[in-house]
Amino acid sequence: MIIVIGIGADGMPGLGASSRAELATATVIFGSPRQLDLLDGTVGAQRRTWPSPLLPALDELIRTDGGDVHVVASGDPMLHGIGATLIRRFGADSVRVLPHVSSVTLACARMGWTVQDTEVVSLVTAPVHTAVRRGGRAVVLSRDATGPAALAALLTETGRGESELTVLEQLGGPGERRRAALARDWAAAGADDIDDLNVVAVQYLPDERRYHTLPDDRFLHDGQITKQSIRAVTLAALGPRPGERLWDVGSGSGSIAIEWCRSAPGCTAVAFERSEQRRSRIAANTVAFGVNVEVRGPAPTDFDGAAEPAVIFIGGGITEPGLLDACFERLPAGGRLVANVVTAESEAAVIARYSTLGGQLRRFQHYHGEPIGGFTGFRPAYPVTQWAVSKQ
């Protein structure tokens, strides 16, 4: 059995009786140096620091020690912690978790925020731009002392400089400290003595949250963008599910990849785009919306090395020889493919595949109201043919 014991910045005095009893019976305890240093003289077990990288070594560590294995972890081990990692690897029946109060709960208590209404964002392993939001509030778990300043700078760069940041250090311990400032002020002259053990409570301002497909002008683009109304029906066809990865082929502005990531928890995307200038725009849009999109070069050349998709969207380049075959080859069994086309040649390619592979074929035509003298008329946009199919 693997016993995972959460410990706070207050160390042994903050532990409950059951956690103390487990530590008293341990022979070997694994943890980070900071967590192991919180144990006092009442714990006689051998203390072993986690190796780096950790994941490849887990099986060997568990096998060689035999019997019960004890682990100390920061706060609640099931909140972006080692407890969840160990359960994924060894199963819930092999792991017992004794949690401490999490840093998120402590932060919300200090801020007067309800936990259920507060988003939790971990930057321990994720890039800092994934903590950018268009509104709301979050507790951001920093990787180290550089986290608050990096987040403040990025919020300022993306037009969120009015956001209110509260940096909470050593929560629950004798060295607990709280400092607050606007993001733009923190970015200009932030503190240089931040403790590595910190979280950032963020009230994102201005609040511009929208949860449906966004207007075109919210994205940087050069006209190569799937328009809002077509984007809506495309997302419906793509059918995002939590945790799925999309390949956005011929990404243009990245609007489909970004909307995909915004649509369900844990969704990620890989954007393939030939134009270097457009790749730069995709990257900027990705940062502005705080989503997890990897930007790569042209398809299918840059398919190698990209994480496997659950769904592929083709927004451009479908007439390029071999592209459609390469997409289908990379799609796993049960995976979904959606293609939008506007030219006669690309429509012919799609209809040919539809005739052999089946799926659903649709055509969308939308119109915009425009002035005609003192009256209003409707100008048609290019019709879009859409093919959606699942790989058998």
Side-chain angles (χ1 to χ4, degrees), residues 245-266:
R245 180 179 293 106
L246 172 77
W247 279 11
D248 182 2
V249 177
S251 190
S253 66
S255 64
I256 290 292
I258 289 166
E259 297 278 24
W260 167 275
C261 292
R262 295 175 66 246
S263 63

mmCIF file of all heavy atoms in Angstrom, residues 245-266:
data_model
loop_
_atom_site.group_PDB
_atom_site.id
_atom_site.type_symbol
_atom_site.label_atom_id
_atom_site.label_comp_id
_atom_site.label_asym_id
_atom_site.label_seq_id
_atom_site.Cartn_x
_atom_site.Cartn_y
_atom_site.Cartn_z
ATOM 1 N N ARG A 245 -8.081 16.152 -27.951
ATOM 2 C CA ARG A 245 -7.135 16.987 -28.703
ATOM 3 C C ARG A 245 -7.597 17.107 -30.148
ATOM 4 O O ARG A 245 -7.955 16.123 -30.786
ATOM 5 C CB ARG A 245 -5.727 16.383 -28.658
ATOM 6 C CG ARG A 245 -4.684 17.217 -29.421
ATOM 7 C CD ARG A 245 -3.310 16.586 -29.336
ATOM 8 N NE ARG A 245 -2.800 16.633 -27.968
ATOM 9 C CZ ARG A 245 -2.733 15.582 -27.173
ATOM 10 N NH1 ARG A 245 -3.121 14.385 -27.596
ATOM 11 N NH2 ARG A 245 -2.269 15.698 -25.957
ATOM 12 N N LEU A 246 -7.551 18.333 -30.672
ATOM 13 C CA LEU A 246 -7.913 18.628 -32.061
ATOM 14 C C LEU A 246 -6.669 18.965 -32.859
ATOM 15 O O LEU A 246 -5.771 19.664 -32.379
ATOM 16 C CB LEU A 246 -8.866 19.826 -32.104
ATOM 17 C CG LEU A 246 -9.194 20.395 -33.493
ATOM 18 C CD1 LEU A 246 -10.193 19.502 -34.208
ATOM 19 C CD2 LEU A 246 -9.714 21.825 -33.391
ATOM 20 N N TRP A 247 -6.607 18.472 -34.092
ATOM 21 C CA TRP A 247 -5.666 18.991 -35.070
ATOM 22 C C TRP A 247 -6.426 19.941 -35.974
ATOM 23 O O TRP A 247 -7.412 19.553 -36.626
ATOM 24 C CB TRP A 247 -5.062 17.865 -35.901
ATOM 25 C CG TRP A 247 -3.931 17.135 -35.236
ATOM 26 C CD1 TRP A 247 -3.528 17.222 -33.936
ATOM 27 C CD2 TRP A 247 -3.056 16.191 -35.869
ATOM 28 N NE1 TRP A 247 -2.458 16.395 -33.701
ATOM 29 C CE2 TRP A 247 -2.141 15.752 -34.874
ATOM 30 C CE3 TRP A 247 -2.951 15.679 -37.158
ATOM 31 C CZ2 TRP A 247 -1.142 14.819 -35.143
ATOM 32 C CZ3 TRP A 247 -1.958 14.752 -37.427
ATOM 33 C CH2 TRP A 247 -1.055 14.334 -36.430
ATOM 34 N N ASP A 248 -5.982 21.192 -36.025
ATOM 35 C CA ASP A 248 -6.596 22.222 -36.871
ATOM 36 C C ASP A 248 -5.666 22.431 -38.062
ATOM 37 O O ASP A 248 -4.628 23.094 -37.955
ATOM 38 C CB ASP A 248 -6.774 23.506 -36.057
ATOM 39 C CG ASP A 248 -7.457 24.613 -36.841
ATOM 40 O OD1 ASP A 248 -7.833 24.383 -38.006
ATOM 41 O OD2 ASP A 248 -7.609 25.720 -36.286
ATOM 42 N N VAL A 249 -6.017 21.849 -39.191
ATOM 43 C CA VAL A 249 -5.143 21.817 -40.375
ATOM 44 C C VAL A 249 -5.516 22.964 -41.309
ATOM 45 O O VAL A 249 -6.668 23.080 -41.727
ATOM 46 C CB VAL A 249 -5.270 20.457 -41.095
ATOM 47 C CG1 VAL A 249 -4.430 20.447 -42.370
ATOM 48 C CG2 VAL A 249 -4.849 19.322 -40.163
ATOM 49 N N GLY A 250 -4.516 23.787 -41.658
ATOM 50 C CA GLY A 250 -4.790 25.010 -42.412
ATOM 51 C C GLY A 250 -5.466 26.002 -41.491
ATOM 52 O O GLY A 250 -6.545 26.518 -41.772
ATOM 53 N N SER A 251 -4.803 26.296 -40.375
ATOM 54 C CA SER A 251 -5.457 26.948 -39.234
ATOM 55 C C SER A 251 -5.795 28.413 -39.464
ATOM 56 O O SER A 251 -6.718 28.934 -38.833
ATOM 57 C CB SER A 251 -4.569 26.802 -37.992
ATOM 58 O OG SER A 251 -5.233 27.204 -36.833
ATOM 59 N N GLY A 252 -5.050 29.107 -40.328
ATOM 60 C CA GLY A 252 -5.361 30.519 -40.593
ATOM 61 C C GLY A 252 -5.094 31.397 -39.391
ATOM 62 O O GLY A 252 -3.957 31.708 -39.057
ATOM 63 N N SER A 253 -6.144 31.797 -38.689
ATOM 64 C CA SER A 253 -6.011 32.619 -37.482
ATOM 65 C C SER A 253 -6.006 31.788 -36.208
ATOM 66 O O SER A 253 -5.784 32.324 -35.113
ATOM 67 C CB SER A 253 -7.181 33.612 -37.408
ATOM 68 O OG SER A 253 -8.401 32.903 -37.222
ATOM 69 N N GLY A 254 -6.298 30.485 -36.327
ATOM 70 C CA GLY A 254 -6.399 29.632 -35.142
ATOM 71 C C GLY A 254 -7.747 29.687 -34.462
ATOM 72 O O GLY A 254 -7.918 29.161 -33.363
ATOM 73 N N SER A 255 -8.746 30.310 -35.113
ATOM 74 C CA SER A 255 -10.037 30.512 -34.440
ATOM 75 C C SER A 255 -10.724 29.200 -34.073
ATOM 76 O O SER A 255 -11.303 29.079 -32.980
ATOM 77 C CB SER A 255 -10.963 31.369 -35.308
ATOM 78 O OG SER A 255 -11.281 30.714 -36.531
ATOM 79 N N ILE A 256 -10.660 28.189 -34.946
ATOM 80 C CA ILE A 256 -11.304 26.916 -34.637
ATOM 81 C C ILE A 256 -10.580 26.225 -33.477
ATOM 82 O O ILE A 256 -11.214 25.715 -32.539
ATOM 83 C CB ILE A 256 -11.333 25.995 -35.873
ATOM 84 C CG1 ILE A 256 -12.303 26.547 -36.925
ATOM 85 C CG2 ILE A 256 -11.733 24.572 -35.488
ATOM 86 C CD1 ILE A 256 -13.767 26.497 -36.539
ATOM 87 N N ALA A 257 -9.247 26.222 -33.501
ATOM 88 C CA ALA A 257 -8.477 25.604 -32.420
ATOM 89 C C ALA A 257 -8.767 26.283 -31.084
ATOM 90 O O ALA A 257 -8.919 25.612 -30.045
ATOM 91 C CB ALA A 257 -6.983 25.671 -32.734
ATOM 92 N N ILE A 258 -8.862 27.600 -31.092
ATOM 93 C CA ILE A 258 -9.101 28.340 -29.856
ATOM 94 C C ILE A 258 -10.515 28.110 -29.349
ATOM 95 O O ILE A 258 -10.729 27.869 -28.150
ATOM 96 C CB ILE A 258 -8.814 29.835 -30.083
ATOM 97 C CG1 ILE A 258 -7.304 30.034 -30.246
ATOM 98 C CG2 ILE A 258 -9.354 30.685 -28.943
ATOM 99 C CD1 ILE A 258 -6.908 31.369 -30.805
ATOM 100 N N GLU A 259 -11.502 28.149 -30.229
ATOM 101 C CA GLU A 259 -12.881 27.880 -29.806
ATOM 102 C C GLU A 259 -13.005 26.450 -29.278
ATOM 103 O O GLU A 259 -13.739 26.193 -28.309
ATOM 104 C CB GLU A 259 -13.844 28.090 -30.972
ATOM 105 C CG GLU A 259 -13.903 29.514 -31.503
ATOM 106 C CD GLU A 259 -14.816 30.423 -30.697
ATOM 107 O OE1 GLU A 259 -15.058 30.152 -29.500
ATOM 108 O OE2 GLU A 259 -15.295 31.422 -31.292
ATOM 109 N N TRP A 260 -12.310 25.523 -29.901
ATOM 110 C CA TRP A 260 -12.302 24.131 -29.432
ATOM 111 C C TRP A 260 -11.813 24.078 -27.981
ATOM 112 O O TRP A 260 -12.440 23.445 -27.128
ATOM 113 C CB TRP A 260 -11.407 23.305 -30.346
ATOM 114 C CG TRP A 260 -11.055 21.940 -29.833
ATOM 115 C CD1 TRP A 260 -10.034 21.617 -28.986
ATOM 116 C CD2 TRP A 260 -11.731 20.704 -30.117
ATOM 117 N NE1 TRP A 260 -10.024 20.276 -28.719
ATOM 118 C CE2 TRP A 260 -11.048 19.694 -29.409
ATOM 119 C CE3 TRP A 260 -12.819 20.367 -30.912
ATOM 120 C CZ2 TRP A 260 -11.428 18.353 -29.466
ATOM 121 C CZ3 TRP A 260 -13.211 19.032 -30.966
ATOM 122 C CH2 TRP A 260 -12.528 18.046 -30.248
ATOM 123 N N CYS A 261 -10.693 24.723 -27.693
ATOM 124 C CA CYS A 261 -10.120 24.679 -26.348
ATOM 125 C C CYS A 261 -11.022 25.358 -25.319
ATOM 126 O O CYS A 261 -11.032 24.970 -24.145
ATOM 127 C CB CYS A 261 -8.744 25.328 -26.342
ATOM 128 S SG CYS A 261 -7.481 24.423 -27.263
ATOM 129 N N ARG A 262 -11.767 26.368 -25.737
ATOM 130 C CA ARG A 262 -12.659 27.074 -24.827
ATOM 131 C C ARG A 262 -13.939 26.297 -24.537
ATOM 132 O O ARG A 262 -14.656 26.606 -23.597
ATOM 133 C CB ARG A 262 -13.068 28.435 -25.425
ATOM 134 C CG ARG A 262 -11.940 29.419 -25.608
ATOM 135 C CD ARG A 262 -12.420 30.693 -26.311
ATOM 136 N NE ARG A 262 -13.362 31.440 -25.502
ATOM 137 C CZ ARG A 262 -14.636 31.633 -25.795
ATOM 138 N NH1 ARG A 262 -15.136 31.121 -26.902
ATOM 139 N NH2 ARG A 262 -15.413 32.331 -25.013
ATOM 140 N N SER A 263 -14.220 25.276 -25.328
ATOM 141 C CA SER A 263 -15.549 24.671 -25.311
ATOM 142 C C SER A 263 -15.745 23.584 -24.263
ATOM 143 O O SER A 263 -16.877 23.328 -23.852
ATOM 144 C CB SER A 263 -15.875 24.086 -26.690
ATOM 145 O OG SER A 263 -14.962 23.054 -27.003
ATOM 146 N N ALA A 264 -14.682 22.937 -23.815
ATOM 147 C CA ALA A 264 -14.827 21.841 -22.855
ATOM 148 C C ALA A 264 -13.564 21.749 -22.010
ATOM 149 O O ALA A 264 -12.467 22.065 -22.483
ATOM 150 C CB ALA A 264 -15.088 20.508 -23.571
ATOM 151 N N PRO A 265 -13.679 21.301 -20.756
ATOM 152 C CA PRO A 265 -12.506 21.238 -19.873
ATOM 153 C C PRO A 265 -11.416 20.326 -20.429
ATOM 154 O O PRO A 265 -11.691 19.232 -20.912
ATOM 155 C CB PRO A 265 -13.082 20.668 -18.567
ATOM 156 C CG PRO A 265 -14.548 20.950 -18.624
ATOM 157 C CD PRO A 265 -14.920 20.882 -20.078
ATOM 158 N N GLY A 266 -10.187 20.795 -20.346
ATOM 159 C CA GLY A 266 -9.044 19.967 -20.721
ATOM 160 C C GLY A 266 -8.816 19.805 -22.203
ATOM 161 O O GLY A 266 -7.911 19.064 -22.612
#
